[in-house]
Amino acid sequence: MKFFSSIKYTFTAISYGVLLAVALLLLMPGLIPGLDDTSLATSLFKGSQAQQAPLSFAKAVSISSPAVVNIYSEQIEVNPQYGRKARKSTRLGSGVIMDTHGYILTNLHVIRQADLIQVLLQSGQIYPAELIGFDHYTDLAVLKVNASNLPVIPQKEQQTSLVGDIVLAIGNPLNLGQTVTQGIISATGRNGLSNTSYLEFLQMDAAINEGNSGGALINSNGILVGINSRKFTQSNPQLSIQGIFFAVPYQLAFKVMRQIIENGKVVRGWLGISTQNYHRELKGFVVDEIMNNSPAQAAGIKVGDVVYQIDNMLIDSVTSALDIIAETPPNTELTFKIYRQGNAIEAKVKIIELSN
């Protein structure tokens, strides 16, 4: 019994000691340096849990935005009427610095027929730009400025975008200065050189206005995922369309840029067929049409043939087959394995260059 009485006495003494300490702190908070009435009350009665930081993309923007530039392209328009002076018109756009050598990606429609192209960095520096080359199919152009130590946009070689990814569009809309808009990837496109339409680009709802074209589309980590291109348009002016904008996927844009730098243009292989159907049982694409004077016609390929292998590459979709052909160097001979009326045959096809 004495033992339990001793324990009870000890706990009682400790309790009184704690109550006395709390009372002293409330009455005289100055006993602890840096502790005032407000902080004491907060720590005692509201807890010390820190407030959660708000969700922000500031870090992503800060590491990528220095590599997004404003582009001003000037065109001299000569009036055919006698005595009238030439008129200068300026178009707005944006661009992305892709490497330290001064190569910049932008849209072709931003600098088309320009007599003078100027690039304004976010640091305030202005450089004249040289047009290295362009690609009509993807509406991309490559510029070069003679400068060093330029900021470069963060890139990931195997970058893949998924529907639902958060994206940020950086550009110079309406010459208001660098602006960021936010949205998500609404639909994804393809990354091969056979891209020729809206359906094969990235679709997103981050706003693109005049001046945004050619700017960067980044993810929430600040990595480049595409080059902002344009908004969806239709011939019906009464149809109000909102939230449908397009960007060229990064992997495709990078392929186009490398070819333009190396060749001055994009070189695509051409077979000369039309196909839209994939035969799931035979695992190949169905030839719907053969163009006259094409490599396919010369090789004896016929309408209705099912191509199930090109060289050692199996065909898992129509788009993958078109990309294989488009990315084959001209004058390369490929072996096509074909099912024709139940029989397996082979055809040697010499791919030629697709003319722009």
Side-chain angles (χ1 to χ4, degrees):
M1 295 297 292
K2 289 183 178 181
F3 174 73
F4 289 108
S5 298
S6 298
I7 293 177
K8 182 178 178 181
Y9 175 78
T10 302
F11 277 107
T12 303
I14 291 173
S15 301
Y16 282 126
V18 171
L19 290 174
L20 178 61
V22 171
L24 288 173
L25 288 175
L26 289 173
L27 294 173
M28 294 179 290
L31 290 175
I32 299 179
L35 187 66
D36 55 19
D37 294 338
T38 303
S39 61
L40 176 62
T42 301
S43 62
L44 288 176
F45 301 109
K46 294 186 178 180
S48 58
Q49 185 178 3
Q51 185 178 8
Q52 185 177 1
L55 180 64
S56 173
F57 304 113
K59 183 177 179 180
V61 173
S62 66
I63 64 176
S64 57
S65 60
V68 182
V69 300
N70 299 350
I71 295 178
Y72 302 93
S73 59
E74 296 181 359
Q75 180 181 2
I76 307 300
E77 299 176 354
V78 180
N79 195 309
Q81 296 183 15
Y82 178 77
R84 295 290 182 91
K85 294 183 179 180
R87 187 171 67 91
K88 181 173 69 174
S89 63
T90 303
R91 283 198 299 271
L92 303 174
S94 302
V96 182
I97 302 174
M98 298 296 290
D99 67 12
T100 56
H101 300 292
Y103 288 107
I104 297 172
L105 262 177
T106 187
N107 284 151
L108 173 58
H109 72 263
V110 170
I111 51 85
R112 191 190 303 271
Q113 298 179 338
D115 297 301
L116 176 66
I117 304 172
Q118 290 189 313
V119 171
L120 172 64
L121 272 63
Q122 298 308 310
S123 63
Q125 296 171 295
I126 300 178
Y127 295 99
E130 173 190 4
L131 176 61
I132 302 300
F134 54 84
D135 180 47
H136 286 288
Y137 290 104
T138 55
D139 191 34
L140 289 175
V142 178
L143 308 177
K144 190 177 189 302
V145 296
N146 186 18
S148 58
N149 298 322
L150 296 174
V152 177
I153 195 83
Q155 300 165 60
K156 184 179 178 182
E157 185 176 354
Q158 298 300 325
Q159 172 60 41
T160 301
S161 296
L162 302 175
V163 173
D165 285 353
I166 293 175
V167 287
L168 308 168
I170 308 177
N172 178 29
L174 306 176
N175 205 28
L176 294 174
Q178 192 175 88
T179 303
V180 181
T181 55
Q182 180 260 332
I184 64 168
I185 296 291
S186 307
T188 56
R190 303 207 317 268
N191 297 323
L193 291 178
S194 63
N195 280 305
T196 56
S197 74
Y198 277 144
L199 299 179
E200 294 148 355
F201 286 179
L202 293 177
Q203 179 186 330
M204 40 85 180
D205 61 351
I208 300 294
N209 295 293
E210 181 185 354
N212 274 113
S213 295
L217 187 70
I218 64 172
N219 62 20
S220 57
N221 291 325
I223 307 296
L224 182 67
V225 301
I227 302 297
N228 298 325
S229 183
R230 62 190 72 186
K231 59 184 177 181
F232 183 79
T233 56
Q234 272 194 344
S235 57
N236 185 356
Q238 297 179 348
L239 189 61
S240 178
I241 301 174
Q242 299 179 356
I244 303 179
F245 304 93
F246 296 93
V248 183
Y250 167 74
Q251 288 185 342
L252 173 59
F254 186 80
K255 290 177 183 178
V256 169
M257 181 185 71
R258 295 314 311 173
Q259 286 218 26
I260 289 175
I261 292 173
E262 294 170 4
N263 307 315
K265 62 178 181 178
V266 178
V267 179
R268 290 180 173 85
W270 185 59
L271 176 61
I273 65 163
S274 174
T275 176
Q276 293 182 338
N277 300 312
Y278 182 78
H279 199 298
R280 295 191 178 278
E281 293 181 1
L282 300 178
K283 298 184 187 308
F285 68 85
V286 182
V287 177
D288 297 325
E289 183 183 357
I290 303 288
M291 280 66 169
N292 291 328
N293 303 317
S294 66
Q297 187 182 58
I301 295 176
K302 297 182 179 181
V303 172
D305 284 352
V306 178
V307 179
Y308 66 91
Q309 188 170 328
I310 301 176
D311 274 2
N312 62 343
M313 294 169 283
L314 297 176
I315 308 302
D316 56 14
S317 68
V318 171
T319 56
S320 66
L322 295 177
D323 284 344
I324 290 171
I325 296 166
E327 295 176 17
T328 297
N331 301 318
T332 300
E333 187 177 78
L334 300 176
T335 300
F336 279 57
K337 294 188 176 182
I338 301 169
Y339 287 120
R340 178 180 295 169
Q341 297 179 347
N343 298 316
I345 62 173
E346 290 187 0
K348 300 289 186 180
V349 183
K350 188 175 182 179
I351 301 299
I352 66 174
E353 182 178 347
L354 174 67
S355 59
N356 290 325

